[in-house]
Amino acid sequence: HREEVIVAQDLLVLPERFFVALLDDKTNTSIKAIANEFCNNFNRYSSKGLGPAFFGAPGAGKTHAAAAVARIVNTRGVQTYWASTVEELNLVLDLKDYRVKSYFTKKDILKNTEFVLFDDFGQLTDFPRIRELFFEIVDHRYSWKLPTLFTANFTISQDIDWEREIGQCFNTSLARRIKDMSQGLAFST
């Protein structure tokens, strides 16, 4: 059965650089098209557990677009949580190491919030404990069909094998889940 968690109504706290992020003329047109498609049809995608995945080189506008999506979806009443992935998961593990009760609360927020954004998850490659925690969270969100947005500095075309590209840094199970969770909503430079 699904784990129940009581969380604050407004969880969205964006990094200062992205407080006013918009999908505007400066946004990459392909990213903007995917972001608008997702935002305009959130209920349809959400019911299937789908969310965007923005991959590409640094500076492509992935994080900016993700922040704009977060702002749009959140203003429509969707409980949204922004996770700077490495920092957020390090915090969760620190709480676990110190046997602090808030460890479970923080982990539950990442697992069960209606819409979560994992920014720069590709930076987890050097942190085995964090990768395991990340898989646990993504696997939970995948199993319960909770929409999730991912950004990373991977370059993946629609023709390449996701399992090979992401799997070489993580594992094929995580790669398959992210691919399934972003079906039709993936962008890569």
Side-chain angles (χ1 to χ4, degrees), residues 62-63 83 85-86 118-124 150-153:
K62 303 175 300 292
T63 299
T85 309
V86 173
F118 287 108
D119 185 43
D120 277 336
F121 82 89
Q123 300 302 316
L124 298 176
F150 299 94
T151 74
N153 294 335

Side-chain angles (χ1 to χ4, degrees), residues 3-65:
E3 296 174 39
E4 292 300 322
V5 62
I6 298 172
V7 291
Q9 179 62 28
D10 189 7
L11 293 172
L12 183 60
V13 177
L14 290 172
E16 187 174 347
R17 178 177 300 278
F18 303 108
F19 279 169
V20 294
L22 300 170
L23 298 172
D24 57 19
D25 293 339
K26 296 176 187 173
T27 309
N28 174 296
T29 55
S30 297
I31 292 176
K32 185 163 64 172
I34 291 168
N36 280 325
E37 170 66 18
F38 177 73
C39 291
N40 293 336
N41 299 288
F42 179 81
N43 290 336
R44 180 170 50 115
Y45 287 114
S46 175
S47 69
K48 298 175 184 177
L50 298 176
F54 300 145
F55 301 128
K62 303 175 300 292
T63 299
H64 183 88

Side-chain angles (χ1 to χ4, degrees), residues 80-149:
T80 305
Y81 191 80
W82 176 275
S84 297
T85 309
V86 173
E87 178 182 356
E88 193 75 25
L89 296 181
N90 264 318
L91 172 63
V92 172
L93 287 177
D94 285 348
L95 294 171
K96 180 181 181 181
D97 289 345
Y98 290 109
R99 300 179 192 276
V100 178
K101 184 179 177 184
S102 58
Y103 157 74
F104 297 102
T105 303
K106 191 65 147 171
K107 193 165 96 170
D108 283 346
I109 288 170
L110 293 169
K111 283 179 153 184
N112 295 311
T113 299
E114 187 174 358
F115 180 50
V116 173
L117 298 91
F118 287 108
D119 185 43
D120 277 336
F121 82 89
Q123 300 302 316
L124 298 176
T125 57
D126 295 331
F127 306 96
R129 282 182 70 211
I130 296 177
R131 285 196 323 252
E132 290 172 11
L133 176 62
F134 186 60
F135 178 79
E136 176 187 343
I137 292 165
V138 171
D139 184 56
H140 177 86
R141 296 189 64 77
Y142 172 79
S143 297
W144 290 102
K145 292 186 174 182
L146 295 169
T148 308
L149 188 153

